[in-house]
Amino acid sequence: MRLKKFPLIMLLLLFVSCSAADLARFVRNVNLEKLGVHVRLAGVPAGIYEKPFMIKFDSMLSDISDGVVMIRAYNVYTVGSYEKVADPCIQNVTNFIDPTSKFKDAWFGVYIILDDEKGLGRRFMLADPGGDPADLANLNDRSLLMLPELDQKIILWSSHQNQDGYTWEKFSADFRFTRREGSELKIETIFDRRGRSWRRLTGDFDTRSALTDTALTDMKLFSSIRNYVGLPTEEVYKQVDPWHPIVITGSIAARYFACSGAPFWAVAYYNGSAYTTKQGKQISTWSQTDVRLVLEKMFDDLEIDCVKK
């Protein structure tokens, strides 16, 4: 395919000067402003990528759910970067896979789900698809909880890339993302700094870390999550095993935006994690660090609205 108005020398310079994450953004990021949707992550703390990834997610959700979830969706997200913010830490790995980082297995993102003409969005997002799309009580909590589950399924499957003999059927049987036994699912109405109401769900979910085993897999740089989370090192493996059990603790907040051009639901999600190291140390970034406060501040600072004409 020929790239117009972008000389080869500029492409070469881009590859030399940019990280894999920068290249992933350059190649895959979409312009949501053209759809009439304004999203900007503000107040991003040190230790996670300041610039988000903005990916069209229709086919990804359809594929990972075996065709169950059919919606027009975009995912705007960020994760732990290579920038270290505390000692001790493990150098040369991202904070997402560094077991000494408060951003291990942490996400901050926003799903943009379009209220499309075919009604796909309404059937997924609403308890009563014929009801008011802006009614917080009409939001389908099962669908809201499905989004982080499918996210986790996507990155876990990616972390098994090119693992010999590991089939989709085997992975589907192994995968779990279940509410932690005895834990509470907190459901509440919250208000952002502009006074807009959101339905927020907060809970604990048992799953496994997307920490690959490099002895078994061959994750390609631009066709897997490796392009932004990198690969673990022996220093990481001294602390935790590949695909070790974790508890995802976090929140999902959703509301409707009745834009004239492209009305949509926004589903913001953010989380910390809990796990046990090989040395028997029990860690909960959600309760033992300030990661909850940091990510909640990101939600408060989130810029999201219809594009002003």
Side-chain angles (χ1 to χ4, degrees):
M1 180 179 69
R2 184 179 178 183
L3 295 176
K4 297 180 180 180
K5 300 181 180 180
F6 206 86
L8 179 60
I9 186 64
M10 293 186 69
L11 277 174
L12 292 174
L13 288 173
L14 185 68
F15 273 86
V16 170
S17 62
C18 294
S19 68
D22 292 326
L23 288 170
R25 291 190 203 92
F26 175 78
V27 173
R28 299 186 65 192
N29 270 21
V30 298
N31 186 348
L32 290 175
E33 300 278 330
K34 291 183 177 180
L35 288 176
V37 178
H38 171 70
V39 183
R40 177 177 174 268
L41 304 189
V44 179
I48 61 178
Y49 293 111
E50 183 176 6
K51 295 180 180 179
F53 305 89
M54 309 178 75
I55 311 296
K56 195 173 190 297
F57 237 58
D58 304 18
S59 60
M60 196 111 34
L61 290 172
S62 176
D63 291 346
I64 205 68
S65 68
D66 289 323
V68 171
V69 177
M70 301 285 288
I71 53 177
R72 291 188 61 197
Y74 298 84
N75 196 358
V76 180
Y77 59 93
T78 186
V79 294
S81 66
Y82 288 90
E83 179 185 12
K84 298 301 177 179
V85 294
D87 289 321
C89 63
I90 298 177
Q91 299 294 328
N92 303 317
V93 297
T94 60
N95 294 320
F96 183 80
I97 61 176
D98 181 353
T100 68
S101 171
K102 66 184 179 182
F103 294 118
K104 180 186 177 300
D105 286 296
W107 293 91
F108 185 95
V110 185
Y111 269 102
I112 303 299
I113 299 173
L114 299 186
D115 185 4
D116 60 293
E117 293 180 354
K118 294 182 179 179
L120 298 175
R122 293 190 178 222
R123 288 194 291 273
F124 179 76
M125 285 296 297
L126 301 178
D128 175 10
D132 183 357
D135 180 5
L136 296 183
N138 193 24
L139 288 172
N140 187 333
D141 291 342
R142 290 183 63 185
S143 293
L144 296 182
L145 293 172
M146 191 183 298
L147 291 173
E149 176 182 349
L150 293 178
D151 251 13
Q152 190 67 16
K153 195 172 185 181
I154 288 168
I155 64 169
L156 265 175
W157 176 238
S158 181
S159 73
H160 287 279
Q161 190 179 49
N162 293 315
Q163 182 177 347
D164 189 39
Y166 196 73
T167 64
W168 171 253
E169 290 74 22
K170 170 65 173 168
F171 171 73
S172 296
D174 289 345
F175 177 74
R176 66 185 302 228
F177 190 92
T178 55
R179 183 136 60 97
R180 191 160 182 79
E181 186 176 352
S183 68
E184 174 192 9
L185 180 65
K186 186 177 182 181
I187 303 175
E188 58 190 330
T189 298
I190 62 171
F191 296 88
D192 63 22
R193 288 183 177 174
R194 295 179 58 179
R196 300 176 301 195
S197 58
W198 297 69
R199 184 175 180 84
R200 184 168 72 180
L201 286 63
T202 302
D204 306 298
F205 302 88
D206 286 310
T207 188
R208 289 190 176 272
S209 174
L211 183 74
T212 193
D213 185 340
T214 55
L216 297 177
T217 64
D218 181 21
M219 294 171 63
K220 301 304 182 183
L221 185 57
F222 293 111
S223 61
S224 74
I225 60 169
R226 176 183 168 187
N227 60 60
Y228 51 89
V229 305
L231 293 175
T233 62
E234 288 304 316
E235 291 301 310
V236 172
Y237 293 140
K238 288 178 183 178
Q239 297 286 325
V240 290
D241 287 320
W243 301 301
H244 56 278
I246 60 173
V247 179
I248 292 292
T249 301
S251 296
I252 310 156
R255 80 177 315 274
Y256 186 71
F257 289 80
C259 305
S260 57
F264 66 93
W265 291 270
V267 184
Y269 59 96
Y270 48 92
N271 71 273
S273 65
Y275 50 95
T276 302
T277 68
K278 288 183 176 180
Q279 293 73 34
K281 185 176 181 180
Q282 294 184 336
I283 296 174
S284 171
T285 61
W286 194 254
S287 61
Q288 295 171 357
T289 75
D290 66 347
V291 74
R292 178 175 185 170
L293 295 176
V294 165
L295 297 180
E296 285 181 345
K297 183 179 183 299
M298 278 190 69
F299 173 76
D300 286 338
D301 292 340
L302 175 66
E303 293 182 13
I304 185 165
D305 210 336
C306 311
V307 170
K308 306 301 181 186
K309 296 183 179 181

